[in-house]
Amino acid sequence: MQRRKIGFLIIALLVVLYPLVIGDSYKVYIMNRSLIHAIIAMGLVTQVGFAGQISLGHAAFYGIGAYTTSLTVLKLGFPIGLGFLAAILMCVIFSVFLSVPSFKLSGFFLSLTTIAFGHIVWVIIVNWQSLTNGPLGVFGIPGLKLFGIKFNNTHYYYLLVATIALLYLFIKRITNSFIGRAFMAMRDDELAAECSGINTRNFKLLAFGISAGFAGLAGAFYAHLSGFISPESFVFAESTKFVGMAVTGGLRHLLGGIIGAPIVTFLPELFRFPGWETYYMMAATFIILMIVVFMPDGLAPLFEKGFNKIFGERDDVKGGSSE
Amino acid sequence: MPNMWKHEEVKPRMKGGVRSELTLVCLEVKNERGKRMRRNLKVIPLMVLMVTLLAGSVVGAQTIKFGLVAPFTGSGSILGDYIQEAFMLAVDEINAEGGIEGKKIEVVVYDDEASPATAINVVKRVIENDKVDVVFGPNMSSSVLAVHQVAQENETLMMVGATSPSLGYDNLANPWLFRLRADDRVRVENQAEYAVNVLGSKKPGIIYGTTDYCTSARDVIIHKFAEYGIEPVAVEQMREGDKDATGQILNMVRAGVDSIMGLTHESEAAVFVRQLRQMGVNVPVVGFTAWGVPAFTDLAPEAATGVIAVQSFTPEDTNPVVQEFVEKYQARYGRLPSDPGQAYYDGVYVIKEVIERVGFDKQAMREELENFSGFVGLQGELVTDEKHNLSRFSLISEFQGDGWKIIEKY
Amino acid sequence: MLQMVLQNSISGMAMGLLYGVIGIGVCLFWQTTGLINFAHISSAMLGAYFFYTFHVMWNLPIVIAFVLAVALVALYGILILRGVVYRQIMGRKGGRLEFIVATMMLNIFLLNLTIVLWGGVPYPFPNIFGSPMNPLRIGGITIQHHSLWVLGFTVALVIGLNYFFKRTLTGKALRATAQNKDTASLMGIGVEKMTALSFAMSTGVTAIAGILLAPIYFVSVELGGGIIGIKGFASAVIGGLTNPFGALVGGLLIGLTENFSVFYISSSYRDVITFVLLVFFLIARPQGLFKKM
């Protein structure tokens, strides 16, 4: 037991010390981007991995969140905190629309509706120029401030780490409750779940709502972190990237999103060698492809095994209490 | 890179060490069982370590460092190669003659995928990590909007080829941002002027794309037409990747257009013009910059014949400076240069000139650039105006099937 | 006005046929595997690039270039798609989701590979299907020679497939395998061979589709990364996923909807209209327009 505690302590220390040791705002910035992606991927793990409802349109929620907070803050003069809330709320409302098809459809058909949803939202963002400023994007989005101090990358980093810790606890609580069991029952056999008295509609709504809310929160973070948003950041390719992160990390593992997002975000950055302007993307996507094909359970179980091997008992296999 | 097919080699040319490392990891990943797992875990951090070491290459002391951020993959991948080739031509020329004030130029090139989100990553990387002295690019307007503050915060010069009017100093007030090509406002206004005054158009139609480049041009041209008291009779959109424009063309015919203003990207321009000619619509077509480059005319040479375009560069320009550049470029790369390469070629020489005038101090360089004049490049004399644009150069030319005939130079 | 409506329909159908051809490949794949290959459209891209390389860069005669390109893509289908991706995932009893994600990643990888090998600049396609500048004109309506080629090919393909599945032994064996692998293997059908065949057919047909698409789409990465793949899925789904003829009808429906949305409503919101229709269609009639063949 003692050794496990040491293990957690080491990981916590690494997480806390990262920006202080790196001290380089570019690498901290990329880490912030990966943490933002991790929020979305965590939502996807809940929705796709646990509840079995596939979504290939999450860039739309990411975009709705980003646009809601920036427009409410810039045009309506909301305080930023309220903008964040509005972003989450807006995404949850939109998730209701998207979950309606899921009452009837599943698997591939559902993925096609979510793709359609993503495209529809994108076209509207591009063309509703009076509201969204169209392809020109929204700029001058204010950054976060606390006690008069403007947030720098390191501040954002700690805020994001704290947020992710809270979201992790939230998801863990949910998956260990009757909701989580209902999700998994629904994922494994919808008919059987319904027969045992589970109202699958409500649980689908809930699953979509949670992950849409997460994506909205991530979008809000992105808008305020980067100060500029435009429709190019919310295209279909982004949606596939988010799902890729969840799968690389481990779709059925609580830590999946948290581990997958930084890997997928950092990989292309690692391959930016001189002369590799076109090769780097191929190399990065090749590694992700290999992980997805040869390790469909993702890297999180591997991480957990490694952790258990170094810091103690093997018997505690039940998913990731490691942060 | 088609020429690689001439060799037997089909595999991508990766660098040896890294490649073997990669294959090793992949092989390791395959063997998932038992003890192998542990080695697996060891190999991955090892590889990450190696990769980071390689990435942080050692910087020589007596160099000046330029960063180039351009799109090589993604929707703008057409442009990346042209930009890099012209840029490297200038850099290698300068280095061959001993560099700038005795310092050789060192170059860092990154791909921004034509996406603002990636542009932030790489611009932060060149400025904060690689600590370059000057950044060239990004070339997409929305990417510039996303990253220009990074240059400002770090007091690093950013020389861009993006053309959206929204990037001017009057709008962004970023003292570190300069533009190497003419503002689209200038060129699109020339385009409208030409349509009204020369072609005598009374009922223009507009076809535009969905990016900021196209929509801001659309807004400018509608505004300019309004000054002449003309309202476009059909304003139609063509989304990037669309391959059929019949509906849009029919709407224009129905509205009775007497000229068409083309404000889309290159591939859509080719699709549109081809269908227009197939359907026998023979009104004059005047396009903006994307309609004046080989990426468009190569795709539909017959249909593009007769198209008039506002260009920022054409290899047919008889200006001897341009001709010399075209010759050197062709000798080295085996093809003709294209817009926006010339802007980056000019940009490198502008920085050289600035350093020779005021030295390597960043603030001094910035101040010199602010009032820059007296330098002749490919785009004529480069003079900074109040919007931080170094060039107002534009041409109106007609495509003749195998090349462009210049009608007017501004 | 009537002439305009007719012209618009003709062009819409020409595009729709292309979506339909992509959809046919989707059907062929679904029929035997019950899966959707999200890297489907990259077969079309590879087909077009291979053909371009062989015919234009290496100056091989059209027929040889065509056969080589299609065979290479079919080989990729058997060796990589089936031999690596499908095997790995099915061997682990991975579900649909794993396959969807894996093929999505495969698609992204192939796109980046193509950019590395051929560059991002689109290549013009040679006018082997007739010059685009001298289309047929019938009563003021323009029809491209290329569209007629596509029409001829798709009709031949649908009839051929129908014959193959219903009349030949191999075709019947394929259908049997699709219905129940265990029973099929008890009947002496080589299940492994049959899946390999269906992978080869699906990727090969899509490669042909890619070559047919190239005069319109050019030889560009847009073929493998653009929205056309999604529209191909959509036409297959509207047609009921098992019926090649249905996929063709689905494609035509989408093509017509698109062109008339532009004509009567708005060019900016065209895709919204198409996709909303698709979603409504999926909810109202998830089994598609046509029954199993």
Side-chain angles (χ1 to χ4, degrees), chain A residues 35-57:
Chain A
L35 292 178
I36 289 173
H37 292 156
I39 297 178
I40 308 178
M42 282 167 85
L44 280 170
V45 166
T46 317
Q47 182 189 338
V48 188
F50 291 119
Q53 305 301 308
I54 191 168
S55 168
L56 296 177

Short mmCIF file of all heavy atoms in Angstrom, two decimals, chain A residues 35-57:
data_model
loop_
_atom_site.label_atom_id
_atom_site.label_comp_id
_atom_site.label_asym_id
_atom_site.label_seq_id
_atom_site.Cartn_x
_atom_site.Cartn_y
_atom_site.Cartn_z
N LEU A 35 -4.52 19.10 -22.86
CA LEU A 35 -5.46 18.94 -21.74
C LEU A 35 -6.87 19.32 -22.17
O LEU A 35 -7.85 18.68 -21.77
CB LEU A 35 -5.00 19.80 -20.55
CG LEU A 35 -3.69 19.34 -19.91
CD1 LEU A 35 -3.29 20.27 -18.79
CD2 LEU A 35 -3.82 17.92 -19.38
N ILE A 36 -6.96 20.35 -23.00
CA ILE A 36 -8.28 20.71 -23.53
C ILE A 36 -8.85 19.55 -24.33
O ILE A 36 -10.01 19.16 -24.18
CB ILE A 36 -8.18 21.99 -24.39
CG1 ILE A 36 -7.92 23.19 -23.50
CG2 ILE A 36 -9.44 22.20 -25.20
CD1 ILE A 36 -7.65 24.47 -24.24
N HIS A 37 -8.00 18.96 -25.18
CA HIS A 37 -8.45 17.79 -25.94
C HIS A 37 -8.83 16.66 -24.99
O HIS A 37 -9.76 15.91 -25.25
CB HIS A 37 -7.35 17.33 -26.89
CG HIS A 37 -7.09 18.29 -28.00
ND1 HIS A 37 -5.89 18.35 -28.68
CD2 HIS A 37 -7.87 19.23 -28.56
CE1 HIS A 37 -5.95 19.30 -29.60
NE2 HIS A 37 -7.13 19.84 -29.55
N ALA A 38 -8.08 16.54 -23.89
CA ALA A 38 -8.35 15.45 -22.95
C ALA A 38 -9.76 15.57 -22.39
O ALA A 38 -10.44 14.56 -22.17
CB ALA A 38 -7.33 15.45 -21.83
N ILE A 39 -10.23 16.82 -22.16
CA ILE A 39 -11.59 16.99 -21.63
C ILE A 39 -12.59 16.38 -22.61
O ILE A 39 -13.49 15.64 -22.21
CB ILE A 39 -11.88 18.49 -21.40
CG1 ILE A 39 -10.94 19.04 -20.33
CG2 ILE A 39 -13.32 18.68 -20.98
CD1 ILE A 39 -11.11 20.51 -20.05
N ILE A 40 -12.42 16.70 -23.90
CA ILE A 40 -13.34 16.15 -24.90
C ILE A 40 -13.23 14.63 -24.94
O ILE A 40 -14.23 13.92 -24.97
CB ILE A 40 -13.04 16.71 -26.30
CG1 ILE A 40 -12.99 18.22 -26.24
CG2 ILE A 40 -14.07 16.24 -27.29
CD1 ILE A 40 -12.63 18.85 -27.55
N ALA A 41 -11.98 14.14 -24.95
CA ALA A 41 -11.78 12.70 -25.05
C ALA A 41 -12.40 11.98 -23.86
O ALA A 41 -12.95 10.89 -23.99
CB ALA A 41 -10.30 12.38 -25.17
N MET A 42 -12.34 12.62 -22.66
CA MET A 42 -12.97 11.99 -21.49
C MET A 42 -14.47 11.88 -21.70
O MET A 42 -15.09 10.87 -21.36
CB MET A 42 -12.72 12.85 -20.24
CG MET A 42 -11.34 12.67 -19.65
SD MET A 42 -11.03 13.98 -18.45
CE MET A 42 -11.80 13.26 -17.01
N GLY A 43 -15.06 12.93 -22.26
CA GLY A 43 -16.49 12.88 -22.55
C GLY A 43 -16.79 11.77 -23.54
O GLY A 43 -17.78 11.04 -23.40
N LEU A 44 -15.92 11.61 -24.54
CA LEU A 44 -16.14 10.57 -25.54
C LEU A 44 -15.99 9.18 -24.93
O LEU A 44 -16.71 8.25 -25.30
CB LEU A 44 -15.15 10.74 -26.70
CG LEU A 44 -15.54 11.81 -27.71
CD1 LEU A 44 -14.41 12.06 -28.67
CD2 LEU A 44 -16.79 11.38 -28.47
N VAL A 45 -15.05 9.04 -24.00
CA VAL A 45 -14.90 7.74 -23.33
C VAL A 45 -16.21 7.39 -22.63
O VAL A 45 -16.70 6.26 -22.72
CB VAL A 45 -13.72 7.78 -22.34
CG1 VAL A 45 -13.77 6.59 -21.41
CG2 VAL A 45 -12.42 7.79 -23.10
N THR A 46 -16.81 8.38 -21.96
CA THR A 46 -18.08 8.12 -21.28
C THR A 46 -19.16 7.75 -22.28
O THR A 46 -19.87 6.76 -22.10
CB THR A 46 -18.52 9.39 -20.52
OG1 THR A 46 -17.40 9.93 -19.86
CG2 THR A 46 -19.61 9.06 -19.54
N GLN A 47 -19.28 8.56 -23.34
CA GLN A 47 -20.39 8.36 -24.27
C GLN A 47 -20.17 7.13 -25.16
O GLN A 47 -21.07 6.31 -25.33
CB GLN A 47 -20.55 9.60 -25.14
CG GLN A 47 -21.71 9.49 -26.09
CD GLN A 47 -21.74 10.61 -27.11
OE1 GLN A 47 -21.17 11.68 -26.89
NE2 GLN A 47 -22.41 10.37 -28.21
N VAL A 48 -18.98 7.02 -25.73
CA VAL A 48 -18.75 5.94 -26.69
C VAL A 48 -18.30 4.67 -25.98
O VAL A 48 -18.82 3.59 -26.22
CB VAL A 48 -17.69 6.37 -27.73
CG1 VAL A 48 -17.60 5.33 -28.83
CG2 VAL A 48 -18.03 7.72 -28.31
N GLY A 49 -17.32 4.82 -25.07
CA GLY A 49 -16.76 3.65 -24.44
C GLY A 49 -17.70 3.00 -23.45
O GLY A 49 -17.86 1.78 -23.42
N PHE A 50 -18.33 3.81 -22.60
CA PHE A 50 -19.17 3.23 -21.57
C PHE A 50 -20.62 3.08 -22.00
O PHE A 50 -21.25 2.07 -21.72
CB PHE A 50 -19.08 4.05 -20.27
CG PHE A 50 -17.73 3.94 -19.63
CD1 PHE A 50 -16.92 5.04 -19.44
CD2 PHE A 50 -17.25 2.70 -19.23
CE1 PHE A 50 -15.67 4.91 -18.87
CE2 PHE A 50 -15.99 2.56 -18.65
CZ PHE A 50 -15.20 3.68 -18.48
N ALA A 51 -21.17 4.09 -22.68
CA ALA A 51 -22.59 4.01 -23.04
C ALA A 51 -22.79 3.46 -24.45
O ALA A 51 -23.92 3.21 -24.86
CB ALA A 51 -23.24 5.38 -22.90
N GLY A 52 -21.71 3.30 -25.22
CA GLY A 52 -21.84 2.67 -26.53
C GLY A 52 -22.51 3.52 -27.59
O GLY A 52 -22.97 3.01 -28.59
N GLN A 53 -22.58 4.84 -27.39
CA GLN A 53 -23.22 5.71 -28.37
C GLN A 53 -22.13 6.45 -29.14
O GLN A 53 -21.55 7.41 -28.64
CB GLN A 53 -24.13 6.73 -27.68
CG GLN A 53 -25.18 6.09 -26.79
CD GLN A 53 -26.08 5.16 -27.56
OE1 GLN A 53 -26.64 5.51 -28.58
NE2 GLN A 53 -26.21 3.93 -27.07
N ILE A 54 -21.87 6.03 -30.38
CA ILE A 54 -20.74 6.62 -31.11
C ILE A 54 -21.05 8.06 -31.53
O ILE A 54 -22.19 8.40 -31.81
CB ILE A 54 -20.38 5.76 -32.34
CG1 ILE A 54 -19.06 6.25 -32.92
CG2 ILE A 54 -21.48 5.80 -33.37
CD1 ILE A 54 -18.48 5.33 -33.92
N SER A 55 -20.03 8.89 -31.53
CA SER A 55 -20.19 10.24 -32.05
C SER A 55 -18.98 10.63 -32.88
O SER A 55 -17.86 10.57 -32.40
CB SER A 55 -20.37 11.24 -30.92
OG SER A 55 -20.25 12.54 -31.44
N LEU A 56 -19.22 11.02 -34.10
CA LEU A 56 -18.15 11.53 -34.95
C LEU A 56 -18.41 13.00 -35.28
O LEU A 56 -18.01 13.49 -36.31
CB LEU A 56 -18.05 10.72 -36.24
CG LEU A 56 -17.65 9.26 -36.06
CD1 LEU A 56 -17.64 8.54 -37.38
CD2 LEU A 56 -16.29 9.16 -35.41
N GLY A 57 -19.11 13.67 -34.37
CA GLY A 57 -19.42 15.07 -34.63
C GLY A 57 -19.06 15.97 -33.48
O GLY A 57 -19.64 17.05 -33.31
#
